[in-house]
Amino acid sequence: MQIESYIEELLYNYNCVVVPGFGAFLAHGKSAELDNQTNTLIPPSKTVSFNSQLSKNDGLLVSHIAKEKHLGYEELLQEVENVAETWNKKLQRGENIELFGVGKLWLNREQRIQFQPENKINYLTSSFGLSTFAATPIQREVLKEEVEELEEKIPFIITPEKREQSSFRPWLKYAAVLLLAVSLGSTSYTAYDGIRQNQVAAQQDAQEQVSKLIQEATFFETAPLEFPAINIKVNKKQLGKHHVIAGAFRVEQNAEKKVAQLKKKGYNAIYLGANKFGLHQVAYDSFENPKEALSFLRKIKRTESADAWMLSEK
């Protein structure tokens, strides 16, 4: 009987999962970290440890398995105790026990159980969707010192001939500006006078047309038209805030193919659009209740894909 998948599921919601007759797996909260050497930001998580002294049955693991498999409590308690006995025998023979998603156990020279967590899964539900982020340090170039060095090496020299030309050029510039201003003024005045005359003529024509229409107009009352009410039913799926992600694709066509494949399998697959990184996300399904989303995620990881994860929107 493989019970490590059930231990993995319980570690999401509980901080202590006891295997009767063997020991307890403990989950401890861990704050976000910044690795200055690699410039890596590690999100908040849960670290898993093992305590062999907490081996008394608290009913949590057995009750969870009994509910999932729809079997009796006493029957499953005996099976779990048999698994614990098998694990103890393997450790005594010097063998290692590897629990997928949880970690590795072995005996040291003092015959004490040692545990190494796998650390591939973040059991902190509030950190779903967060992954380790590596930031590249910004390389800033200081150009001021280089410019100063160039100014010292290449001095700026003006010959007498260039100085005479430079003293004459401002007068040409001012003359050109003055000529341009006079030209624009005369052109603007001519255009304004023409526009003014056109406006007066247009106003006279408009007044004549309005007077003619008022003389010819006939006013009458008509009953208001009544239109029958039309009821249109629109079936629209309300997306939840918690999405179980099946994959993210750089090409939108690949995302649409993934949606079609999942729908053929019976999932309520949804195309969520592109995220801020330009990846097109596809979800198995969306839920409003976070507990339902977590339960569905565990099922998908166990039966469909271990790479599935949950995206929660604010």
Side-chain angles (χ1 to χ4, degrees):
M1 179 181 180
Q2 301 292 333
I3 65 173
E4 53 264 32
S5 60
Y6 301 105
I7 297 174
E8 178 186 351
E9 292 177 1
L10 290 172
L11 286 174
Y12 283 105
N13 296 321
Y14 298 93
N15 293 329
C16 180
V17 180
V18 178
V19 180
F22 186 73
F25 294 92
L26 308 174
H28 310 276
K30 186 179 180 182
S31 303
E33 296 182 30
L34 177 62
D35 191 343
N36 294 325
Q37 295 182 352
T38 60
N39 297 308
T40 302
L41 178 63
I42 303 173
S45 61
K46 278 185 178 181
T47 58
V48 182
S49 61
F50 179 78
N51 190 336
S52 60
Q53 295 180 356
L54 300 176
S55 60
K56 186 176 180 180
N57 181 27
D58 61 352
L60 177 63
L61 178 61
V62 179
S63 300
H64 178 70
I65 300 175
K67 182 179 178 181
E68 291 289 328
K69 302 185 73 172
H70 304 287
L71 298 175
Y73 179 86
E74 297 296 335
E75 179 182 355
L76 282 174
L77 175 60
Q78 185 61 43
E79 291 187 18
V80 173
E81 290 178 347
N82 292 338
V83 172
E85 184 178 357
T86 302
W87 287 356
N88 286 322
K89 290 180 179 179
K90 285 186 176 181
L91 292 176
Q92 293 298 328
R93 292 196 300 265
E95 299 179 9
N96 297 335
I97 300 175
E98 295 187 4
L99 304 180
F100 177 76
V102 180
K104 178 180 178 182
L105 300 106
W106 71 93
L107 285 180
N108 61 8
R109 295 180 180 179
E110 291 77 17
Q111 298 298 307
R112 293 182 180 180
I113 299 178
Q114 302 296 309
F115 175 72
Q116 181 180 356
E118 188 170 307
N119 292 330
K120 292 183 179 179
I121 300 175
N122 189 350
Y123 291 103
L124 188 62
T125 56
S126 60
S127 294
F128 270 118
L130 297 177
S131 59
T132 301
F133 176 76
T136 304
I138 300 175
Q139 301 293 336
R140 300 184 183 276
E141 296 180 359
V142 181
L143 301 178
K144 184 177 180 180
E145 296 180 357
E146 297 180 3
V147 173
E148 292 177 353
E149 292 179 0
L150 289 175
E151 289 179 350
E152 293 178 358
K153 293 179 180 179
I154 308 175
F156 185 70
I157 302 174
I158 301 177
T159 61
E161 294 179 355
K162 292 185 178 179
R163 188 179 297 110
E164 291 176 0
Q165 293 178 1
S166 62
S167 62
F168 179 69
R169 284 177 182 174
W171 292 102
L172 293 177
K173 179 175 66 176
Y174 297 146
V177 171
L178 180 60
L179 180 61
L180 179 62
V182 172
S183 301
L184 289 176
S186 60
T187 304
S188 301
Y189 177 78
T190 304
Y192 173 76
D193 187 39
I195 293 172
R196 182 68 176 175
Q197 293 178 0
N198 292 335
Q199 288 181 347
V200 172
Q203 289 178 357
Q204 292 177 356
D205 293 341
Q207 289 179 356
E208 292 177 0
Q209 293 293 331
V210 170
S211 299
K212 183 179 180 181
L213 291 175
I214 291 175
Q215 293 175 1
E216 296 177 356
T218 302
F219 299 94
F220 56 91
E221 295 181 355
T222 58
L225 297 177
E226 296 183 357
F227 296 94
I230 300 176
N231 296 324
I232 301 175
K233 295 182 179 180
V234 179
N235 296 323
K236 183 178 179 182
K237 177 177 175 61
Q238 297 294 333
L239 295 181
K241 297 181 180 179
H242 307 280
H243 315 289
V244 178
I245 302 300
F249 306 86
R250 293 189 178 275
V251 182
E252 184 177 356
Q253 295 179 351
N254 294 336
E256 294 175 354
K257 292 180 181 179
K258 186 65 175 180
V259 171
Q261 293 174 359
L262 295 177
K263 285 186 175 181
K264 286 183 179 180
K265 293 183 178 182
Y267 296 105
N268 296 323
I270 303 168
Y271 170 63
L272 299 177
N275 59 13
K276 63 179 181 180
F277 301 105
L279 299 178
H280 301 272
Q281 295 178 321
V282 176
Y284 288 98
D285 204 342
S286 295
F287 301 87
E288 188 68 27
N289 190 327
K291 293 185 178 180
E292 293 181 2
L294 281 175
S295 178
F296 183 75
L297 174 63
R298 295 170 192 143
K299 179 181 177 182
I300 290 297
K301 291 173 71 69
R302 188 170 61 251
T303 60
E304 187 72 24
S305 173
D307 296 329
W309 55 281
M310 189 171 77
L311 172 64
S312 297
E313 300 177 358
K314 295 182 179 179

